[in-house]
Amino acid sequence: MADTVDRGEMVRIFLVDDHEVVRRGIAGILEAQPDFRIVGEAGTVRDAAARIAATVPDLAILDVRLPDGNGIDLCRHIRQEHPTVRCLILTAFDDDAAVIAAVMADAAGYLLKSVHTADLVNSVRAVVTGHKLLHPSARQQATQLMRAAPADDPRFGSLSLRERQILSLIADALTNRQIGERLGLAEKTVKNYVSTMLSKLGFDHRTQAAVFEIERTGGSAHQL
């Protein structure tokens, strides 16, 4: 595979987490390996995007919750702009919807910060050699969601994958804060997504969007 690292080469790693103590701890674990090198760190999406563009590491290890956005959307940006950089989500945020969102963003893996040191090292080695550390069921659900046909209403087809996800949760009566907690997004970020989504759908209120989605899906429960 073109975006994997051959065994024996130095693995260049970039860390993204808004807590310096956490970054230092992860760096210490990984740099204890003779073939791992930390080439940069960042605590925000903005800094990470700029510094990853400058360093182009082999692997970016990303937290989900960041002060100015989230690691899953950052992952999507990295994979689009720098396809040779693989992304590993490492977070305390444990939620099926977040895992599926990570699949959609083309993350190579999703780990919790409670992972043991040896497992973290082994996971990094697996990811940089081309393996996926995501449960097959999550990949299947994400594939089904991405293939969801918008044939019955072109307005739905105009929505991005993230907007479709949020529309589904609005139909489940979740607030912006609850949606943010579910997806690992800042409440302000969710509000911005909702505003754009309502504009695309031609609605003024989220209640209209909820009714639209319930009618579109025939009132079926959403599985994210």
Side-chain angles (χ1 to χ4, degrees), residues 41-80:
E41 300 180 17
T44 66
V45 170
R46 181 177 180 179
D47 286 348
R51 294 177 186 176
I52 287 172
T55 57
V56 192
D58 301 306
L59 174 69
I61 298 180
L62 315 173
D63 192 7
V64 170
R65 291 177 171 171
L66 297 167
D68 58 341
N70 69 89
I72 292 175
D73 286 343
L74 175 60
C75 172
R76 181 180 294 105
H77 169 80
I78 293 169
R79 294 295 293 160
Q80 289 174 347

PDB file of all heavy atoms in Angstrom, residues 41-80:
ATOM      1  N   GLU A  41       3.514  18.512  17.708  1.00  0.00           N
ATOM      2  CA  GLU A  41       2.367  18.443  18.605  1.00  0.00           C
ATOM      3  C   GLU A  41       1.501  19.677  18.383  1.00  0.00           C
ATOM      4  O   GLU A  41       1.985  20.725  17.954  1.00  0.00           O
ATOM      5  CB  GLU A  41       2.807  18.421  20.074  1.00  0.00           C
ATOM      6  CG  GLU A  41       3.691  17.260  20.454  1.00  0.00           C
ATOM      7  CD  GLU A  41       4.084  17.324  21.934  1.00  0.00           C
ATOM      8  OE1 GLU A  41       3.414  18.064  22.699  1.00  0.00           O
ATOM      9  OE2 GLU A  41       5.063  16.657  22.314  1.00  0.00           O
ATOM     10  N   ALA A  42       0.213  19.539  18.694  1.00  0.00           N
ATOM     11  CA  ALA A  42      -0.706  20.680  18.619  1.00  0.00           C
ATOM     12  C   ALA A  42      -1.854  20.438  19.584  1.00  0.00           C
ATOM     13  O   ALA A  42      -2.188  19.295  19.908  1.00  0.00           O
ATOM     14  CB  ALA A  42      -1.237  20.871  17.199  1.00  0.00           C
ATOM     15  N   GLY A  43      -2.456  21.555  20.029  1.00  0.00           N
ATOM     16  CA  GLY A  43      -3.578  21.462  20.958  1.00  0.00           C
ATOM     17  C   GLY A  43      -4.880  21.948  20.374  1.00  0.00           C
ATOM     18  O   GLY A  43      -5.906  21.921  21.054  1.00  0.00           O
ATOM     19  N   THR A  44      -4.858  22.405  19.111  1.00  0.00           N
ATOM     20  CA  THR A  44      -6.070  22.883  18.445  1.00  0.00           C
ATOM     21  C   THR A  44      -6.124  22.355  17.025  1.00  0.00           C
ATOM     22  O   THR A  44      -5.098  21.951  16.455  1.00  0.00           O
ATOM     23  CB  THR A  44      -6.119  24.424  18.388  1.00  0.00           C
ATOM     24  OG1 THR A  44      -5.060  24.890  17.544  1.00  0.00           O
ATOM     25  CG2 THR A  44      -5.986  25.037  19.781  1.00  0.00           C
ATOM     26  N   VAL A  45      -7.314  22.381  16.447  1.00  0.00           N
ATOM     27  CA  VAL A  45      -7.487  21.956  15.057  1.00  0.00           C
ATOM     28  C   VAL A  45      -6.674  22.854  14.126  1.00  0.00           C
ATOM     29  O   VAL A  45      -5.987  22.385  13.213  1.00  0.00           O
ATOM     30  CB  VAL A  45      -8.978  21.990  14.666  1.00  0.00           C
ATOM     31  CG1 VAL A  45      -9.147  21.791  13.159  1.00  0.00           C
ATOM     32  CG2 VAL A  45      -9.756  20.921  15.427  1.00  0.00           C
ATOM     33  N   ARG A  46      -6.754  24.162  14.363  1.00  0.00           N
ATOM     34  CA  ARG A  46      -6.074  25.112  13.482  1.00  0.00           C
ATOM     35  C   ARG A  46      -4.568  24.881  13.459  1.00  0.00           C
ATOM     36  O   ARG A  46      -3.955  24.803  12.377  1.00  0.00           O
ATOM     37  CB  ARG A  46      -6.376  26.538  13.939  1.00  0.00           C
ATOM     38  CG  ARG A  46      -5.726  27.612  13.074  1.00  0.00           C
ATOM     39  CD  ARG A  46      -6.118  29.005  13.542  1.00  0.00           C
ATOM     40  NE  ARG A  46      -5.497  30.038  12.730  1.00  0.00           N
ATOM     41  CZ  ARG A  46      -5.687  31.336  12.906  1.00  0.00           C
ATOM     42  NH1 ARG A  46      -6.500  31.752  13.881  1.00  0.00           N
ATOM     43  NH2 ARG A  46      -5.088  32.214  12.132  1.00  0.00           N
ATOM     44  N   ASP A  47      -3.966  24.762  14.642  1.00  0.00           N
ATOM     45  CA  ASP A  47      -2.523  24.541  14.708  1.00  0.00           C
ATOM     46  C   ASP A  47      -2.152  23.185  14.114  1.00  0.00           C
ATOM     47  O   ASP A  47      -1.138  23.063  13.409  1.00  0.00           O
ATOM     48  CB  ASP A  47      -2.032  24.620  16.150  1.00  0.00           C
ATOM     49  CG  ASP A  47      -1.993  26.041  16.687  1.00  0.00           C
ATOM     50  OD1 ASP A  47      -2.127  26.980  15.874  1.00  0.00           O
ATOM     51  OD2 ASP A  47      -1.838  26.212  17.909  1.00  0.00           O
ATOM     52  N   ALA A  48      -2.970  22.178  14.389  1.00  0.00           N
ATOM     53  CA  ALA A  48      -2.672  20.841  13.885  1.00  0.00           C
ATOM     54  C   ALA A  48      -2.694  20.810  12.359  1.00  0.00           C
ATOM     55  O   ALA A  48      -1.800  20.231  11.727  1.00  0.00           O
ATOM     56  CB  ALA A  48      -3.677  19.838  14.440  1.00  0.00           C
ATOM     57  N   ALA A  49      -3.701  21.436  11.753  1.00  0.00           N
ATOM     58  CA  ALA A  49      -3.810  21.426  10.295  1.00  0.00           C
ATOM     59  C   ALA A  49      -2.578  22.074   9.659  1.00  0.00           C
ATOM     60  O   ALA A  49      -2.026  21.557   8.674  1.00  0.00           O
ATOM     61  CB  ALA A  49      -5.082  22.151   9.861  1.00  0.00           C
ATOM     62  N   ALA A  50      -2.135  23.186  10.227  1.00  0.00           N
ATOM     63  CA  ALA A  50      -0.974  23.890   9.671  1.00  0.00           C
ATOM     64  C   ALA A  50       0.313  23.106   9.866  1.00  0.00           C
ATOM     65  O   ALA A  50       1.135  22.974   8.945  1.00  0.00           O
ATOM     66  CB  ALA A  50      -0.858  25.271  10.310  1.00  0.00           C
ATOM     67  N   ARG A  51       0.490  22.547  11.052  1.00  0.00           N
ATOM     68  CA  ARG A  51       1.752  21.869  11.355  1.00  0.00           C
ATOM     69  C   ARG A  51       1.843  20.506  10.681  1.00  0.00           C
ATOM     70  O   ARG A  51       2.938  20.074  10.289  1.00  0.00           O
ATOM     71  CB  ARG A  51       1.921  21.741  12.869  1.00  0.00           C
ATOM     72  CG  ARG A  51       2.090  23.094  13.557  1.00  0.00           C
ATOM     73  CD  ARG A  51       2.185  22.980  15.060  1.00  0.00           C
ATOM     74  NE  ARG A  51       2.209  24.295  15.695  1.00  0.00           N
ATOM     75  CZ  ARG A  51       2.212  24.504  17.000  1.00  0.00           C
ATOM     76  NH1 ARG A  51       2.202  23.462  17.837  1.00  0.00           N
ATOM     77  NH2 ARG A  51       2.216  25.731  17.485  1.00  0.00           N
ATOM     78  N   ILE A  52       0.711  19.841  10.525  1.00  0.00           N
ATOM     79  CA  ILE A  52       0.723  18.560   9.807  1.00  0.00           C
ATOM     80  C   ILE A  52       1.028  18.791   8.330  1.00  0.00           C
ATOM     81  O   ILE A  52       1.736  18.012   7.693  1.00  0.00           O
ATOM     82  CB  ILE A  52      -0.608  17.820  10.010  1.00  0.00           C
ATOM     83  CG1 ILE A  52      -0.675  17.266  11.440  1.00  0.00           C
ATOM     84  CG2 ILE A  52      -0.772  16.677   9.002  1.00  0.00           C
ATOM     85  CD1 ILE A  52      -2.002  16.684  11.835  1.00  0.00           C
ATOM     86  N   ALA A  53       0.508  19.886   7.784  1.00  0.00           N
ATOM     87  CA  ALA A  53       0.829  20.225   6.395  1.00  0.00           C
ATOM     88  C   ALA A  53       2.323  20.474   6.225  1.00  0.00           C
ATOM     89  O   ALA A  53       2.911  20.162   5.182  1.00  0.00           O
ATOM     90  CB  ALA A  53       0.041  21.457   5.958  1.00  0.00           C
ATOM     91  N   ALA A  54       2.953  21.027   7.264  1.00  0.00           N
ATOM     92  CA  ALA A  54       4.384  21.342   7.194  1.00  0.00           C
ATOM     93  C   ALA A  54       5.265  20.112   7.411  1.00  0.00           C
ATOM     94  O   ALA A  54       6.333  19.994   6.804  1.00  0.00           O
ATOM     95  CB  ALA A  54       4.728  22.414   8.219  1.00  0.00           C
ATOM     96  N   THR A  55       4.826  19.196   8.275  1.00  0.00           N
ATOM     97  CA  THR A  55       5.669  18.047   8.629  1.00  0.00           C
ATOM     98  C   THR A  55       5.330  16.778   7.852  1.00  0.00           C
ATOM     99  O   THR A  55       6.193  15.924   7.648  1.00  0.00           O
ATOM    100  CB  THR A  55       5.558  17.741  10.132  1.00  0.00           C
ATOM    101  OG1 THR A  55       4.170  17.510  10.464  1.00  0.00           O
ATOM    102  CG2 THR A  55       6.070  18.909  10.971  1.00  0.00           C
ATOM    103  N   VAL A  56       4.064  16.638   7.425  1.00  0.00           N
ATOM    104  CA  VAL A  56       3.568  15.442   6.716  1.00  0.00           C
ATOM    105  C   VAL A  56       4.084  14.166   7.386  1.00  0.00           C
ATOM    106  O   VAL A  56       4.915  13.439   6.830  1.00  0.00           O
ATOM    107  CB  VAL A  56       3.949  15.453   5.218  1.00  0.00           C
ATOM    108  CG1 VAL A  56       3.171  14.379   4.470  1.00  0.00           C
ATOM    109  CG2 VAL A  56       3.679  16.819   4.599  1.00  0.00           C
ATOM    110  N   PRO A  57       3.608  13.877   8.593  1.00  0.00           N
ATOM    111  CA  PRO A  57       4.060  12.682   9.312  1.00  0.00           C
ATOM    112  C   PRO A  57       3.479  11.405   8.692  1.00  0.00           C
ATOM    113  O   PRO A  57       2.649  11.468   7.785  1.00  0.00           O
ATOM    114  CB  PRO A  57       3.505  12.906  10.712  1.00  0.00           C
ATOM    115  CG  PRO A  57       2.248  13.702  10.466  1.00  0.00           C
ATOM    116  CD  PRO A  57       2.583  14.622   9.335  1.00  0.00           C
ATOM    117  N   ASP A  58       3.923  10.275   9.202  1.00  0.00           N
ATOM    118  CA  ASP A  58       3.339   9.004   8.783  1.00  0.00           C
ATOM    119  C   ASP A  58       2.000   8.775   9.464  1.00  0.00           C
ATOM    120  O   ASP A  58       1.097   8.172   8.888  1.00  0.00           O
ATOM    121  CB  ASP A  58       4.280   7.843   9.125  1.00  0.00           C
ATOM    122  CG  ASP A  58       5.628   7.980   8.460  1.00  0.00           C
ATOM    123  OD1 ASP A  58       5.655   8.138   7.226  1.00  0.00           O
ATOM    124  OD2 ASP A  58       6.653   7.951   9.181  1.00  0.00           O
ATOM    125  N   LEU A  59       1.882   9.261  10.703  1.00  0.00           N
ATOM    126  CA  LEU A  59       0.691   9.020  11.507  1.00  0.00           C
ATOM    127  C   LEU A  59       0.351  10.241  12.341  1.00  0.00           C
ATOM    128  O   LEU A  59       1.241  10.859  12.936  1.00  0.00           O
ATOM    129  CB  LEU A  59       0.931   7.821  12.442  1.00  0.00           C
ATOM    130  CG  LEU A  59      -0.166   7.505  13.461  1.00  0.00           C
ATOM    131  CD1 LEU A  59      -1.418   6.987  12.752  1.00  0.00           C
ATOM    132  CD2 LEU A  59       0.324   6.488  14.490  1.00  0.00           C
ATOM    133  N   ALA A  60      -0.924  10.578  12.399  1.00  0.00           N
ATOM    134  CA  ALA A  60      -1.419  11.615  13.306  1.00  0.00           C
ATOM    135  C   ALA A  60      -2.310  10.939  14.337  1.00  0.00           C
ATOM    136  O   ALA A  60      -3.249  10.216  13.971  1.00  0.00           O
ATOM    137  CB  ALA A  60      -2.192  12.680  12.541  1.00  0.00           C
ATOM    138  N   ILE A  61      -2.013  11.146  15.604  1.00  0.00           N
ATOM    139  CA  ILE A  61      -2.830  10.617  16.694  1.00  0.00           C
ATOM    140  C   ILE A  61      -3.690  11.763  17.203  1.00  0.00           C
ATOM    141  O   ILE A  61      -3.167  12.777  17.672  1.00  0.00           O
ATOM    142  CB  ILE A  61      -1.959  10.029  17.812  1.00  0.00           C
ATOM    143  CG1 ILE A  61      -1.127   8.852  17.258  1.00  0.00           C
ATOM    144  CG2 ILE A  61      -2.823   9.569  18.975  1.00  0.00           C
ATOM    145  CD1 ILE A  61      -0.222   8.201  18.296  1.00  0.00           C
ATOM    146  N   LEU A  62      -5.013  11.618  17.120  1.00  0.00           N
ATOM    147  CA  LEU A  62      -5.928  12.731  17.333  1.00  0.00           C
ATOM    148  C   LEU A  62      -6.908  12.467  18.463  1.00  0.00           C
ATOM    149  O   LEU A  62      -7.515  11.393  18.529  1.00  0.00           O
ATOM    150  CB  LEU A  62      -6.737  12.984  16.054  1.00  0.00           C
ATOM    151  CG  LEU A  62      -5.981  12.995  14.719  1.00  0.00           C
ATOM    152  CD1 LEU A  62      -6.970  13.079  13.561  1.00  0.00           C
ATOM    153  CD2 LEU A  62      -4.994  14.149  14.684  1.00  0.00           C
ATOM    154  N   ASP A  63      -7.080  13.468  19.327  1.00  0.00           N
ATOM    155  CA  ASP A  63      -8.159  13.425  20.306  1.00  0.00           C
ATOM    156  C   ASP A  63      -9.450  13.840  19.596  1.00  0.00           C
ATOM    157  O   ASP A  63      -9.410  14.491  18.545  1.00  0.00           O
ATOM    158  CB  ASP A  63      -7.860  14.370  21.466  1.00  0.00           C
ATOM    159  CG  ASP A  63      -8.788  14.157  22.655  1.00  0.00           C
ATOM    160  OD1 ASP A  63      -9.575  13.182  22.636  1.00  0.00           O
ATOM    161  OD2 ASP A  63      -8.738  14.963  23.595  1.00  0.00           O
ATOM    162  N   VAL A  64     -10.604  13.486  20.138  1.00  0.00           N
ATOM    163  CA  VAL A  64     -11.878  13.880  19.531  1.00  0.00           C
ATOM    164  C   VAL A  64     -12.224  15.313  19.895  1.00  0.00           C
ATOM    165  O   VAL A  64     -12.502  16.148  19.026  1.00  0.00           O
ATOM    166  CB  VAL A  64     -13.018  12.928  19.955  1.00  0.00           C
ATOM    167  CG1 VAL A  64     -14.373  13.498  19.526  1.00  0.00           C
ATOM    168  CG2 VAL A  64     -12.823  11.552  19.328  1.00  0.00           C
ATOM    169  N   ARG A  65     -12.205  15.628  21.182  1.00  0.00           N
ATOM    170  CA  ARG A  65     -12.655  16.948  21.630  1.00  0.00           C
ATOM    171  C   ARG A  65     -11.483  17.928  21.673  1.00  0.00           C
ATOM    172  O   ARG A  65     -10.519  17.728  22.414  1.00  0.00           O
ATOM    173  CB  ARG A  65     -13.309  16.832  23.004  1.00  0.00           C
ATOM    174  CG  ARG A  65     -14.624  16.093  22.960  1.00  0.00           C
ATOM    175  CD  ARG A  65     -15.234  15.925  24.334  1.00  0.00           C
ATOM    176  NE  ARG A  65     -16.585  15.392  24.262  1.00  0.00           N
ATOM    177  CZ  ARG A  65     -17.281  14.986  25.307  1.00  0.00           C
ATOM    178  NH1 ARG A  65     -16.742  15.061  26.519  1.00  0.00           N
ATOM    179  NH2 ARG A  65     -18.504  14.522  25.166  1.00  0.00           N
ATOM    180  N   LEU A  66     -11.592  18.972  20.871  1.00  0.00           N
ATOM    181  CA  LEU A  66     -10.567  20.003  20.815  1.00  0.00           C
ATOM    182  C   LEU A  66     -11.240  21.366  20.961  1.00  0.00           C
ATOM    183  O   LEU A  66     -12.429  21.509  20.656  1.00  0.00           O
ATOM    184  CB  LEU A  66      -9.805  19.917  19.493  1.00  0.00           C
ATOM    185  CG  LEU A  66      -9.020  18.609  19.287  1.00  0.00           C
ATOM    186  CD1 LEU A  66      -8.567  18.471  17.847  1.00  0.00           C
ATOM    187  CD2 LEU A  66      -7.825  18.547  20.240  1.00  0.00           C
ATOM    188  N   PRO A  67     -10.514  22.383  21.421  1.00  0.00           N
ATOM    189  CA  PRO A  67     -11.145  23.669  21.733  1.00  0.00           C
ATOM    190  C   PRO A  67     -11.858  24.337  20.555  1.00  0.00           C
ATOM    191  O   PRO A  67     -12.871  25.008  20.738  1.00  0.00           O
ATOM    192  CB  PRO A  67      -9.958  24.532  22.198  1.00  0.00           C
ATOM    193  CG  PRO A  67      -8.938  23.562  22.647  1.00  0.00           C
ATOM    194  CD  PRO A  67      -9.086  22.373  21.764  1.00  0.00           C
ATOM    195  N   ASP A  68     -11.331  24.147  19.342  1.00  0.00           N
ATOM    196  CA  ASP A  68     -11.904  24.838  18.180  1.00  0.00           C
ATOM    197  C   ASP A  68     -12.496  23.881  17.151  1.00  0.00           C
ATOM    198  O   ASP A  68     -12.652  24.225  15.978  1.00  0.00           O
ATOM    199  CB  ASP A  68     -10.834  25.713  17.509  1.00  0.00           C
ATOM    200  CG  ASP A  68      -9.620  24.900  17.057  1.00  0.00           C
ATOM    201  OD1 ASP A  68      -9.436  23.766  17.561  1.00  0.00           O
ATOM    202  OD2 ASP A  68      -8.862  25.400  16.208  1.00  0.00           O
ATOM    203  N   GLY A  69     -12.846  22.691  17.591  1.00  0.00           N
ATOM    204  CA  GLY A  69     -13.428  21.721  16.660  1.00  0.00           C
ATOM    205  C   GLY A  69     -13.297  20.322  17.214  1.00  0.00           C
ATOM    206  O   GLY A  69     -13.346  20.120  18.425  1.00  0.00           O
ATOM    207  N   ASN A  70     -13.095  19.350  16.339  1.00  0.00           N
ATOM    208  CA  ASN A  70     -12.969  17.975  16.816  1.00  0.00           C
ATOM    209  C   ASN A  70     -12.035  17.175  15.929  1.00  0.00           C
ATOM    210  O   ASN A  70     -11.815  17.499  14.751  1.00  0.00           O
ATOM    211  CB  ASN A  70     -14.345  17.299  16.891  1.00  0.00           C
ATOM    212  CG  ASN A  70     -14.935  17.047  15.525  1.00  0.00           C
ATOM    213  OD1 ASN A  70     -14.698  16.005  14.927  1.00  0.00           O
ATOM    214  ND2 ASN A  70     -15.689  18.011  14.996  1.00  0.00           N
ATOM    215  N   GLY A  71     -11.491  16.124  16.506  1.00  0.00           N
ATOM    216  CA  GLY A  71     -10.497  15.328  15.819  1.00  0.00           C
ATOM    217  C   GLY A  71     -11.030  14.533  14.659  1.00  0.00           C
ATOM    218  O   GLY A  71     -10.266  14.189  13.744  1.00  0.00           O
ATOM    219  N   ILE A  72     -12.314  14.229  14.650  1.00  0.00           N
ATOM    220  CA  ILE A  72     -12.875  13.449  13.547  1.00  0.00           C
ATOM    221  C   ILE A  72     -12.949  14.283  12.274  1.00  0.00           C
ATOM    222  O   ILE A  72     -12.566  13.834  11.188  1.00  0.00           O
ATOM    223  CB  ILE A  72     -14.244  12.878  13.945  1.00  0.00           C
ATOM    224  CG1 ILE A  72     -14.054  11.813  15.036  1.00  0.00           C
ATOM    225  CG2 ILE A  72     -14.954  12.275  12.730  1.00  0.00           C
ATOM    226  CD1 ILE A  72     -15.322  11.257  15.609  1.00  0.00           C
ATOM    227  N   ASP A  73     -13.406  15.529  12.404  1.00  0.00           N
ATOM    228  CA  ASP A  73     -13.408  16.410  11.234  1.00  0.00           C
ATOM    229  C   ASP A  73     -11.976  16.733  10.805  1.00  0.00           C
ATOM    230  O   ASP A  73     -11.692  16.870   9.609  1.00  0.00           O
ATOM    231  CB  ASP A  73     -14.172  17.698  11.531  1.00  0.00           C
ATOM    232  CG  ASP A  73     -15.679  17.480  11.559  1.00  0.00           C
ATOM    233  OD1 ASP A  73     -16.143  16.446  11.040  1.00  0.00           O
ATOM    234  OD2 ASP A  73     -16.395  18.341  12.108  1.00  0.00           O
ATOM    235  N   LEU A  74     -11.064  16.863  11.768  1.00  0.00           N
ATOM    236  CA  LEU A  74      -9.657  17.080  11.440  1.00  0.00           C
ATOM    237  C   LEU A  74      -9.111  15.876  10.681  1.00  0.00           C
ATOM    238  O   LEU A  74      -8.360  16.031   9.710  1.00  0.00           O
ATOM    239  CB  LEU A  74      -8.856  17.314  12.718  1.00  0.00           C
ATOM    240  CG  LEU A  74      -7.336  17.443  12.557  1.00  0.00           C
ATOM    241  CD1 LEU A  74      -6.974  18.612  11.650  1.00  0.00           C
ATOM    242  CD2 LEU A  74      -6.681  17.610  13.929  1.00  0.00           C
ATOM    243  N   CYS A  75      -9.496  14.689  11.103  1.00  0.00           N
ATOM    244  CA  CYS A  75      -9.080  13.469  10.417  1.00  0.00           C
ATOM    245  C   CYS A  75      -9.523  13.503   8.955  1.00  0.00           C
ATOM    246  O   CYS A  75      -8.738  13.197   8.041  1.00  0.00           O
ATOM    247  CB  CYS A  75      -9.671  12.250  11.123  1.00  0.00           C
ATOM    248  SG  CYS A  75      -9.436  10.682  10.247  1.00  0.00           S
ATOM    249  N   ARG A  76     -10.769  13.880   8.739  1.00  0.00           N
ATOM    250  CA  ARG A  76     -11.278  13.958   7.363  1.00  0.00           C
ATOM    251  C   ARG A  76     -10.447  14.941   6.529  1.00  0.00           C
ATOM    252  O   ARG A  76     -10.093  14.646   5.384  1.00  0.00           O
ATOM    253  CB  ARG A  76     -12.745  14.384   7.369  1.00  0.00           C
ATOM    254  CG  ARG A  76     -13.362  14.465   5.985  1.00  0.00           C
ATOM    255  CD  ARG A  76     -14.812  14.891   6.027  1.00  0.00           C
ATOM    256  NE  ARG A  76     -15.632  13.882   6.683  1.00  0.00           N
ATOM    257  CZ  ARG A  76     -16.118  13.994   7.915  1.00  0.00           C
ATOM    258  NH1 ARG A  76     -15.872  15.075   8.639  1.00  0.00           N
ATOM    259  NH2 ARG A  76     -16.850  13.035   8.427  1.00  0.00           N
ATOM    260  N   HIS A  77     -10.153  16.081   7.126  1.00  0.00           N
ATOM    261  CA  HIS A  77      -9.342  17.089   6.425  1.00  0.00           C
ATOM    262  C   HIS A  77      -7.953  16.537   6.088  1.00  0.00           C
ATOM    263  O   HIS A  77      -7.462  16.708   4.965  1.00  0.00           O
ATOM    264  CB  HIS A  77      -9.202  18.335   7.302  1.00  0.00           C
ATOM    265  CG  HIS A  77      -8.192  19.320   6.805  1.00  0.00           C
ATOM    266  ND1 HIS A  77      -8.454  20.212   5.781  1.00  0.00           N
ATOM    267  CD2 HIS A  77      -6.889  19.540   7.179  1.00  0.00           C
ATOM    268  CE1 HIS A  77      -7.373  20.939   5.550  1.00  0.00           C
ATOM    269  NE2 HIS A  77      -6.418  20.555   6.381  1.00  0.00           N
ATOM    270  N   ILE A  78      -7.338  15.885   7.049  1.00  0.00           N
ATOM    271  CA  ILE A  78      -5.987  15.346   6.839  1.00  0.00           C
ATOM    272  C   ILE A  78      -5.992  14.312   5.726  1.00  0.00           C
ATOM    273  O   ILE A  78      -5.141  14.331   4.827  1.00  0.00           O
ATOM    274  CB  ILE A  78      -5.442  14.724   8.144  1.00  0.00           C
ATOM    275  CG1 ILE A  78      -5.207  15.811   9.195  1.00  0.00           C
ATOM    276  CG2 ILE A  78      -4.149  13.945   7.881  1.00  0.00           C
ATOM    277  CD1 ILE A  78      -4.920  15.260  10.589  1.00  0.00           C
ATOM    278  N   ARG A  79      -6.970  13.411   5.752  1.00  0.00           N
ATOM    279  CA  ARG A  79      -7.014  12.344   4.752  1.00  0.00           C
ATOM    280  C   ARG A  79      -7.291  12.889   3.353  1.00  0.00           C
ATOM    281  O   ARG A  79      -6.831  12.326   2.359  1.00  0.00           O
ATOM    282  CB  ARG A  79      -8.069  11.314   5.149  1.00  0.00           C
ATOM    283  CG  ARG A  79      -7.737  10.548   6.418  1.00  0.00           C
ATOM    284  CD  ARG A  79      -6.494   9.698   6.236  1.00  0.00           C
ATOM    285  NE  ARG A  79      -6.731   8.620   5.279  1.00  0.00           N
ATOM    286  CZ  ARG A  79      -5.777   7.969   4.632  1.00  0.00           C
ATOM    287  NH1 ARG A  79      -4.509   8.295   4.803  1.00  0.00           N
ATOM    288  NH2 ARG A  79      -6.071   6.996   3.798  1.00  0.00           N
ATOM    289  N   GLN A  80      -8.033  13.989   3.287  1.00  0.00           N
ATOM    290  CA  GLN A  80      -8.298  14.594   1.990  1.00  0.00           C
ATOM    291  C   GLN A  80      -7.089  15.360   1.460  1.00  0.00           C
ATOM    292  O   GLN A  80      -6.767  15.276   0.274  1.00  0.00           O
ATOM    293  CB  GLN A  80      -9.506  15.533   2.089  1.00  0.00           C
ATOM    294  CG  GLN A  80     -10.824  14.814   2.275  1.00  0.00           C
ATOM    295  CD  GLN A  80     -11.987  15.763   2.516  1.00  0.00           C
ATOM    296  OE1 GLN A  80     -11.804  16.951   2.790  1.00  0.00           O
ATOM    297  NE2 GLN A  80     -13.195  15.246   2.424  1.00  0.00           N
TER     298      GLN A  80
END
